Amino acid sequence: QTDGKLYNNADKFPVTGIGMKKYYNPEDFRGTGGYVVTKFEPAIRYADVLLWYAEALNEITSGKSYSFPTHKGEEIEVKRDVVQMRYAMKRVRIRAGVPDLANNIYNDADAFRRALKKERQIEIFAEAKRYYDLRRWKDAMVEENIPLTGCNVEMTNSDAQKQEFYKETVVSSYPKIFLEKMYLWPIPQYEMTRNKRLTQNPGW
């Protein structure tokens, strides 16, 4: 332990110098006789469903539509519908206290895709979704190879160095690398042995 940093316990030492309070309740108390308020973990969040819906509509080629039967035997039409995309996105953003997206973003599929990716990164932060988002978008080769950065946690507590804490610093103890073969996981050898018709995923 050096200057309050417990290197062998990552739970007590944020290597980026940035903590997170997303899962804390204002009534949680860690002092003597402290307690933690019970929290519910939703299997699926409504905000996530809304963002799925907006993303799916945006990926439909403009001008095309598809019909599907419902469980009641009725037909529904699905197309890139800006009204429905706004319906979904607006509910996520306004709940967070931020304004709706501009009309030009809704009208441009590429611009909306960029805005939606950013929205998911912020809204669903620390909910174990980013890993899968980057892979299905095929963005992992770029995003996962950017060095992890944070505050300068190696500064001392002296007055001369306190401001150095806020200097953006690469976290060298957590190197990042993503190879193209990582988009697909390797098939376990025992599965390959059981089924001779299987072929290993590329790169493995």
Side-chain angles (χ1 to χ4, degrees):
Q1 183 171 352
T2 305
D3 293 335
K5 298 187 287 291
L6 193 60
Y7 289 103
N8 64 350
N9 191 335
D11 292 336
K12 297 182 180 178
F13 171 47
V15 294
T16 61
I18 302 170
M20 183 183 71
K21 293 186 68 176
K22 182 168 185 174
Y23 294 103
Y24 282 84
N25 185 293
E27 296 183 9
D28 287 347
F29 180 65
R30 294 189 62 186
T32 303
Y35 55 88
V36 176
V37 176
T38 300
K39 304 170 185 68
F40 297 98
E41 181 180 354
I44 299 177
R45 277 218 293 131
Y46 185 47
D48 203 3
V49 174
L50 290 170
L51 292 173
W52 293 339
Y53 182 52
E55 181 179 358
L57 292 179
N58 185 60
E59 295 303 322
I60 298 175
T61 302
S62 184
K64 287 193 173 183
S65 63
Y66 303 88
S67 294
F68 299 94
T70 69
H71 66 286
K72 295 181 178 180
E74 302 168 350
E75 289 286 323
I76 59 170
E77 183 184 35
V78 180
K79 60 183 179 178
R80 189 182 187 282
D81 187 339
V82 170
V83 173
Q84 287 298 307
M85 290 160 58
R86 186 185 296 275
Y87 171 90
M89 184 67 82
K90 191 173 180 180
R91 275 156 179 73
V92 176
R93 291 179 63 83
I94 289 181
R95 176 180 174 274
V98 291
D100 189 16
L101 299 175
N103 289 334
N104 63 307
I105 294 178
Y106 283 107
N107 293 328
D108 185 322
D110 290 334
F112 185 81
R113 187 180 300 112
R114 289 191 296 270
L116 182 130
K117 287 179 178 181
K118 187 67 174 178
E119 196 71 30
R120 285 190 63 83
Q121 183 179 14
I122 295 170
E123 174 66 27
I124 312 179
F125 170 72
E127 295 183 26
K129 303 290 177 67
R130 184 73 174 166
Y131 176 92
Y132 301 100
D133 281 348
L134 290 178
R135 281 154 182 76
R136 68 188 178 83
W137 291 330
K138 293 296 186 289
D139 288 346
M141 283 289 288
V142 174
E143 295 284 340
E144 295 284 30
N145 284 316
I146 298 174
L148 179 64
T149 60
C151 299
N152 179 16
V153 297
E154 298 302 328
M155 61 85 198
T156 66
N157 199 32
S158 66
D159 291 337
Q161 285 207 359
K162 279 185 178 180
Q163 289 304 313
E164 288 294 311
F165 175 79
Y166 300 102
K167 181 180 178 181
E168 184 176 355
T169 307
V170 173
V171 182
S172 58
S173 58
Y174 279 76
K176 295 172 62 182
I177 184 171
F178 186 91
L179 305 176
E180 189 168 5
K181 69 178 184 178
M182 294 178 179
Y183 279 120
L184 296 175
W185 290 348
I187 300 173
Q189 184 57 49
Y190 65 83
E191 292 290 355
M192 300 283 291
T193 303
R194 290 171 60 187
N195 187 346
K196 298 300 183 183
R197 294 186 178 184
L198 282 177
T199 55
Q200 187 56 271
N201 282 327
W204 300 100

